[in-house]
Amino acid sequence: MNTYESILTRRSTRKYLNKPVSKELLEKIIETGRYAPSDGNSQSNHFLVIQNKQIIDHLVKMVEKAFFQMEITENMYRSLQNSINLSKKGGYVFSYNAPVLIIVANKKDYGNNQADCGLP
């Protein structure tokens, strides 16, 4: 598959099977993420792999609570507005019940942290 085909066939998955992901596949995904560009080649991203269902469920509840407490503003992204509205209704699950979460993190006070984390 070439880059053009890859871009045209990319999809946002919102339904996952409750099936373990192999260690080999997770390592391949992380290795691929490490090759994403970063500002000034800083390579300061960290990848946190969470496979424990109890921890994922706890994070889901924390995220729902955080969105529940937010107010919608005029120029807010529509997807963020949707997350807030769903949280206020109850039952918002940002992870779509995926068996694994990979969190990309960076230094809190690094000026390009959001962009760098969004690239992998």
Side-chain angles (χ1 to χ4, degrees), residues 9-77:
T9 59
R10 186 206 66 77
R11 298 291 179 263
S12 295
T13 303
R14 292 186 177 86
K15 186 174 184 181
Y16 295 91
L17 300 174
N18 188 13
K19 181 177 157 185
V21 179
S22 72
K23 181 179 179 181
E24 293 79 20
L25 180 56
L26 285 172
E27 288 174 353
K28 190 174 185 178
I29 292 167
I30 298 301
E31 181 67 17
T32 304
R34 288 184 55 240
Y35 279 86
S38 61
D39 184 48
N41 200 28
S42 66
Q43 299 182 14
S44 53
N45 284 342
H46 298 277
F47 298 87
L48 304 151
V49 179
I50 302 171
Q51 300 178 70
N52 182 307
K53 181 156 175 40
Q54 291 174 321
I55 294 172
I56 293 171
D57 290 345
H58 182 69
L59 290 171
V60 165
K61 289 176 186 172
M62 288 175 60
V63 168
E64 182 179 35
K65 181 179 178 182
F67 280 140
F68 180 86
Q69 294 172 347
M70 294 174 71
E71 295 298 326
I72 294 174
T73 61
E74 183 179 340
N75 295 318
M76 186 178 278
Y77 290 118

Side-chain angles (χ1 to χ4, degrees), residues 1-13:
M1 177 182 298
N2 64 36
T3 303
Y4 179 74
E5 291 168 338
S6 177
I7 291 169
L8 292 181
T9 59
R10 186 206 66 77
R11 298 291 179 263
S12 295
T13 303

Side-chain angles (χ1 to χ4, degrees), residues 54-114:
Q54 291 174 321
I55 294 172
I56 293 171
D57 290 345
H58 182 69
L59 290 171
V60 165
K61 289 176 186 172
M62 288 175 60
V63 168
E64 182 179 35
K65 181 179 178 182
F67 280 140
F68 180 86
Q69 294 172 347
M70 294 174 71
E71 295 298 326
I72 294 174
T73 61
E74 183 179 340
N75 295 318
M76 186 178 278
Y77 290 118
R78 194 173 87 202
S79 60
L80 183 52
Q81 291 178 19
N82 290 339
S83 296
I84 293 168
N85 285 328
L86 288 171
S87 293
K88 291 185 186 290
K89 290 180 184 176
Y92 174 67
V93 179
F94 77 92
S95 64
Y96 301 103
N97 299 307
V100 177
L101 292 181
I102 300 175
I103 299 172
V104 184
N106 206 311
K107 299 173 186 173
K108 183 178 180 178
D109 50 354
Y110 170 56
N112 208 47
N113 56 14
Q114 289 183 358

